Amino acid sequence: MTHLALLEQKEGNIRCFTSENKQLLLNLLKYRSLPKGSHLFWEGDPADKLFFIKHGRIKITKFTDEGKELIMYIHQDGDLIGHADPFFSSRHSYSAEVLEESEIGYAETSELQLLIEINGGFALDFMKWMGIYHRITQTKFRDLMMYGKQGALCSTLIRLGNTYGEVDGKDIRINKKMTHTDLSNMIGATRESVNRMLAELRKKGALAYDDGCIVIKELSVLQQICRCEQCPVEICRI
């Protein structure tokens, strides 16, 4: 996980494309506005489009049979969303909820496939995007499975700092307010256990609150708990 030295580079995951290939992709897009609380797609819908967030935030969720929500990603400005398998008919395995009013671009998979077939450079950049997407998923599961709920929580806090953080000296203020329920849904834990773990981190001086926002006071404490591997900022994000 990153040491937050690259916080200013928040262009979204589309930055893995060169300027030329990024423009080729943007030229394919049609745009629409979506209100807060609506859905970009639902689990089970055909995965026949690639989406781009021009501005806004999208929450990617999966629900268990018991109705428990698991937040897999929170995407923001400059992010591409979609199943990374443009050559195969598939359906979405998760749902995408709009967290704030958003402007979303979308390209049909058939158009994307044609661009990949005729432009080798674009195909390489698309593979980079696929690789980043997969690595984010892999590292999240690694943290949860190897270091338990506390490790997963600390990893999530670092990712939130990388995504929404504002640096003030050695403090990192997470400028998006996250409820304890949100955090519990990000790591598959109960809200009560998250309350307890956050209280322990506050006692250690690792965290504080400012006007409802979490402030990371001692990044090194969080890094020690989750065995931080100093992943690049493209990977260590929410």
Side-chain angles (χ1 to χ4, degrees):
M1 296 171 192
T2 179
H3 193 259
L4 301 169
L6 303 177
L7 271 171
E8 69 279 8
Q9 298 184 21
K10 295 180 180 178
E11 189 185 343
N13 60 33
I14 199 172
R15 67 171 171 260
C16 63
F17 289 80
T18 65
S19 296
E20 179 182 356
N21 290 328
K22 175 182 174 181
Q23 193 58 52
L24 288 173
L25 177 59
L26 295 179
N27 289 342
L28 290 180
L29 301 178
K30 304 176 182 67
Y31 289 90
R32 57 175 169 163
S33 296
L34 294 173
K36 178 181 178 179
S38 62
H39 278 76
L40 186 58
F41 53 79
W42 292 89
E43 182 177 348
D45 285 350
D48 56 1
K49 295 179 179 66
L50 183 72
F51 299 96
F52 171 70
I53 304 177
K54 186 174 182 180
H55 67 77
R57 286 196 304 147
I58 304 292
K59 177 174 69 173
I60 304 298
T61 61
K62 181 82 174 178
F63 284 89
T64 67
D65 292 339
E66 295 77 24
K68 171 72 174 176
E69 180 187 45
L70 178 63
I71 300 175
M72 301 175 66
Y73 312 94
I74 298 180
H75 289 294
Q76 58 182 350
D77 297 4
D79 278 347
L80 293 172
I81 307 174
H83 276 295
D85 52 357
F87 302 109
F88 304 96
S89 297
S90 61
R91 294 186 177 274
H92 288 292
S93 55
Y94 42 73
S95 299
E97 180 184 348
V98 180
L99 293 177
E100 57 190 47
E101 185 174 353
S102 302
E103 186 174 1
I104 307 297
Y106 62 94
E108 300 291 338
T109 300
S110 57
E111 297 176 318
L112 182 64
Q113 178 177 338
L114 180 60
L115 181 56
I116 290 172
E117 288 176 349
I118 65 176
N119 191 310
F122 181 87
L124 287 173
D125 283 354
F126 189 79
M127 290 173 62
K128 292 177 186 176
W129 171 75
M130 290 172 60
I132 288 173
Y133 217 97
H134 289 315
R135 282 194 65 191
I136 292 172
T137 303
Q138 290 168 357
T139 55
K140 285 185 177 183
F141 280 118
R142 174 202 66 196
D143 296 339
L144 181 60
M145 296 179 68
M146 295 185 65
Y147 306 119
K149 304 297 185 186
Q150 189 178 44
L153 176 61
C154 291
S155 169
T156 297
L157 291 170
I158 296 172
R159 293 173 189 273
L160 286 168
N162 284 339
T163 308
Y164 302 117
E166 179 181 323
V167 176
D168 181 13
K170 72 172 185 177
D171 293 350
I172 303 152
R173 188 178 192 271
I174 299 172
N175 284 325
K176 293 292 182 181
K177 293 183 179 180
M178 295 287 165
T179 68
H180 292 185
T181 299
D182 290 334
L183 292 172
S184 69
N185 290 342
M186 289 178 184
I187 65 173
T190 64
R191 185 171 58 84
E192 291 75 18
S193 64
V194 167
N195 291 346
R196 184 179 66 256
M197 289 186 289
L198 288 173
E200 292 173 355
L201 290 170
R202 292 179 71 181
K203 287 181 181 178
K204 293 179 179 179
L207 298 181
Y209 281 87
D210 178 29
D211 192 26
C213 292
I214 296 173
V215 179
I216 300 174
K217 306 288 289 184
E218 292 291 345
L219 179 62
S220 61
V221 173
L222 304 183
Q223 291 174 324
Q224 289 170 7
I225 292 173
C226 67
R227 311 295 197 276
C228 176
E229 296 182 4
Q230 300 290 328
C231 298
V233 68
E234 291 84 358
I235 308 301
C236 186
R237 50 162 293 175
I238 203 62

